[in-house]
Amino acid sequence: MSPSSKKMKASERREHILSLLKQAREPITGSSLAEEMNVTRQVIVGDVSLLKARNEPIVATSQGYMYMTDNKESLAYQRTIVCQHNAEQTEEELNILVDHGVHVYEVVVEHPIYGDLTAQLRISNRRDVKKFIDEVHSTNASFLLELTDGVHTHTISADSKEALDEAEDALWKAGILMKN
């Protein structure tokens, strides 16, 4: 019997969500989980929060939920960069990074009240960039950088130090990267 044909108990539903996330090779959206489980997206949000409270390594990214394992997405070189730009330059910034073979794992802004606010991005190609930008626009959401006059950091990684250096150089030339 599929989960959508009969309403599951909450504990069964959470275990099924966990199983799906562990097997998935790509993020799964809350909406698709909700449809499969025949519940609202908000129920899924609550279920995922409860799973996280059990110390399950689930991350909410801009593409959906992911179950994180130790070796998943591990690239040889990683660093944090500081950028400043307006919302309209976000797509340019992300495309510069992915065009150099760089993966953008997260964005962090420093909020005066809440401290560091971090969002998992997990963007690694132009398709991911387009999906992220389209999602922001379709939901009328704001970019985190709008809280900080455009200043934010990214954790990025790549297979080589050269790829990171070249991406930083391109961001600098575009007037996006901040340096000491």
Side-chain angles (χ1 to χ4, degrees):
M1 174 183 326
S2 83
S4 60
S5 62
K6 181 181 176 218
K7 196 137 183 154
M8 303 173 99
K9 290 182 181 176
S11 60
E12 292 171 344
R13 187 180 60 243
R14 285 190 284 278
E15 290 309 310
H16 189 65
I17 291 168
L18 191 57
S19 174
L20 290 171
L21 292 173
K22 284 181 176 180
Q23 295 171 23
R25 296 187 188 271
E26 294 189 358
I28 303 175
T29 66
S31 298
S32 65
L33 287 170
E35 186 175 319
E36 179 166 341
M37 305 289 171
N38 197 25
V39 295
T40 66
R41 185 182 171 286
Q42 197 55 43
V43 169
I44 297 299
V45 170
D47 285 343
V48 170
S49 294
L50 289 168
L51 290 168
K52 287 179 180 182
R54 288 185 359 200
N55 292 321
E56 294 292 350
I58 299 170
V59 176
T61 73
S62 60
Q63 288 91 27
Y65 295 113
M66 294 176 65
Y67 189 87
M68 302 304 293
T69 57
D70 290 340
N71 60 4
K72 205 175 196 180
E73 298 185 296
S74 177
L75 295 175
Y77 297 89
Q78 180 174 309
R79 68 177 67 149
T80 299
I81 59 171
V82 181
C83 298
Q84 183 174 22
H85 59 80
N86 60 36
E88 291 75 31
Q89 291 174 289
T90 301
E91 186 170 9
E92 176 187 8
E93 171 199 47
L94 295 172
N95 280 332
I96 288 171
L97 290 165
V98 300
D99 287 351
H100 285 86
V102 172
H103 295 235
V104 185
Y105 289 118
E106 66 186 11
V107 59
V108 180
V109 297
E110 187 178 325
H111 191 275
I113 303 297
Y114 301 115
D116 287 348
L117 299 177
T118 304
Q120 303 295 318
L121 296 178
R122 305 293 196 251
I123 292 174
S124 58
N125 56 52
R126 279 189 174 248
R127 186 185 63 149
D128 292 345
V129 172
K130 182 175 179 356
K131 189 174 179 182
F132 173 70
I133 298 296
D134 289 350
E135 186 72 17
V136 169
H137 290 141
S138 71
T139 60
N140 288 321
S142 298
F143 293 104
L144 285 180
L145 62 84
E146 294 179 51
L147 298 172
T148 58
D149 291 329
V151 177
H152 58 285
T153 65
H154 285 296
T155 302
I156 59 173
S157 65
D159 288 327
S160 70
K161 181 183 176 303
E162 293 75 26
L164 293 174
D165 292 341
E166 290 169 5
E168 280 194 41
D169 201 37
L171 288 173
W172 176 255
K173 288 176 181 165
I176 292 172
L177 185 72
M178 293 178 67
K179 289 187 179 181
N180 291 342

